[in-house]
Amino acid sequence: MKFLILLPLYYTAACLTIPFVTALFIPHAKEISPPPQKNIENTITVFNHTDNTTYNINIEDYLIGVVAAEMPAAFEPEALKAQAVAARTYTMYKSASSDHDADICTDYTHCQAYLSEEEMHENWKNDYNFYFDKIKNAVYSTSGEYLSYNEEPIMAVFHSMGGGQTQNSADVWGTQMPYLVSVPSPGEEEATNYHSTLSVSFSEFKNTILKDYPNAKIASCLDVSKPTLTQSGHVKSILIGTVSIPGSKIRSMFNLRSTKFTLSFTDDTVTFSVTGYGHGVGMSQYGANAMAKTGKTYKEILSHYYQGVTFSE
Ligand SMILES: [Zn+2]
């Protein structure tokens, strides 16, 4: 309820600043259309998982909060537009297959992350007006656009960085979506923490695995086989003793940034060298930003990361 009460104030502030900011920072920007009028079709119900409340909100205004939460506001405008369309599509997809009463929730592990206006203020401080208008422009200038396959909204999943190559959905979740296929994702290496490492002692490595796989039988590094890789070079599984452990399970057990990793053993230390961040399926956000920097449009970005899809409105 607090959100709904505050919302008109933010609208007023945003509306007042848009012409000024647009003139300053977005030369030749397409005129921003006013948000669609509220009606049953463009109003959605959102479950806020932090306070267990459900509220109605215009989908375009909801998407400003999603893009703000899911992608750095400093990213290129075309990357933000790609994110807006992906998030709108994912919202529609989730709404159609919702397993909770609301259309979508704010838990990023279940649906999509979301920032309230107060949280955006906290994040951006003095840059609030600039970033808010930049994201609002990305959402409104693509208003109503979504991606479809066989006339249905697609499962437009996204991740931070795929490690140079995105993953086939089948290699991560077991089901192959025709549009979630492995594609190159160049340019991500400019991101901070594109490469990361984690070192643990051999006993910690062993105990962590034995906790979930008590039959793994691991006495030394000789019991750890070379990983089996997916088409994109992510770890599909590792045979430890006689037990095959999925790469995704290793990732969660050791809190690795992705399943694209190598293992090395020295003395009493096990080191994971990790590339990328996230599950690696669908659009890579850093890859999208890299494409935008080379002049690609949001439609070219989305057509690359979601193969064979149609732009619908
Ligand atoms: Zn949810």
Side-chain angles (χ1 to χ4, degrees):
M1 289 312 288
K2 191 176 175 189
F3 184 90
L4 287 177
I5 293 163
L6 290 173
L7 216 48
L9 294 176
Y10 293 128
Y11 284 159
T12 309
C15 290
L16 287 173
T17 53
I18 275 182
F20 175 70
V21 174
T22 303
L24 268 183
F25 302 106
I26 318 175
H28 316 301
K30 154 173 156 185
E31 193 173 310
I32 301 169
S33 310
Q37 291 299 304
K38 271 194 175 184
N39 62 41
I40 194 71
E41 286 178 354
N42 58 27
T43 299
I44 58 166
T45 51
V46 177
F47 173 67
N48 184 339
H49 78 294
T50 58
D51 62 8
N52 290 329
T53 57
T54 301
Y55 53 88
N56 296 320
I57 185 170
N58 174 284
I59 186 170
E60 304 301 329
D61 295 323
Y62 159 74
L63 289 170
I64 294 173
V66 174
V67 175
E70 295 281 8
M71 179 176 268
F75 272 21
E76 296 292 316
E78 291 300 310
L80 290 166
K81 283 186 203 171
Q83 180 67 72
V85 175
R88 185 180 297 108
T89 306
Y90 192 64
T91 303
M92 295 167 73
Y93 173 85
K94 274 292 201 176
S95 173
S97 59
S98 184
D99 50 4
H100 36 51
D101 290 339
D103 288 308
I104 199 149
C105 77
T106 56
D107 180 356
Y108 79 93
T109 63
H110 187 256
C111 289
Q112 290 181 125
Y114 175 82
L115 286 185
S116 67
E117 305 243 359
E118 286 163 303
E119 290 166 324
M120 290 183 222
H121 269 287
E122 280 170 30
N123 277 8
W124 300 328
K125 300 193 170 59
N126 292 340
D127 294 326
Y128 172 81
N129 285 338
F130 175 63
Y131 284 142
F132 184 89
D133 290 342
K134 190 179 173 190
I135 289 177
K136 186 174 182 175
N137 185 47
V139 172
Y140 283 5
S141 65
T142 61
S143 182
E145 288 181 41
Y146 67 98
L147 306 170
S148 63
Y149 194 90
N150 288 341
E151 299 181 5
E152 296 290 335
I154 68 162
M155 188 171 89
V157 288
F158 45 88
H159 58 278
S160 181
M161 30 183 145
Q165 182 85 23
T166 69
Q167 297 231 67
N168 291 312
S169 61
D171 288 330
V172 180
W173 299 309
T175 303
Q176 186 55 52
M177 298 295 196
Y179 47 84
L180 295 177
V181 293
S182 178
V183 294
S185 189
E188 301 172 332
E189 54 280 1
E190 288 178 14
T192 311
N193 295 327
Y194 177 68
H195 292 292
S196 57
T197 56
L198 174 81
S199 294
V200 293
S201 67
F202 188 80
S203 61
E204 187 182 343
F205 176 77
K206 177 180 168 179
N207 292 337
T208 303
I209 287 171
L210 289 178
K211 203 156 71 180
D212 285 1
Y213 294 89
N215 299 322
K217 289 197 177 75
I218 168 170
S220 76
C221 64
L222 297 175
D223 293 318
V224 183
S225 300
K226 201 173 162 193
T228 305
L229 303 180
T230 65
Q231 183 190 336
S232 52
H234 291 70
V235 174
K236 189 165 196 169
S237 62
I238 301 181
L239 192 65
I240 297 184
T242 56
V243 177
S244 176
I245 304 181
S248 57
K249 189 70 187 164
I250 305 264
R251 182 191 173 199
S252 62
M253 284 192 290
F254 292 95
N255 215 8
L256 304 176
R257 282 165 60 84
S258 84
T259 56
K260 192 158 195 172
F261 62 85
T262 57
L263 272 170
S264 57
F265 299 87
T266 47
D267 300 327
D268 184 41
T269 304
V270 182
T271 300
F272 294 92
S273 299
V274 187
T275 306
Y277 186 30
H279 52 59
V281 186
M283 185 180 76
S284 155
Q285 295 170 314
Y286 276 86
N289 199 40
M291 284 182 77
K293 281 180 180 173
T294 67
K296 301 290 187 201
T297 65
Y298 74 97
K299 288 193 173 181
E300 289 172 316
I301 294 168
L302 291 164
S303 299
H304 173 67
Y305 285 109
Y306 305 108
Q307 294 272 303
V309 299
T310 300
F311 286 82
S312 301
E313 283 191 56

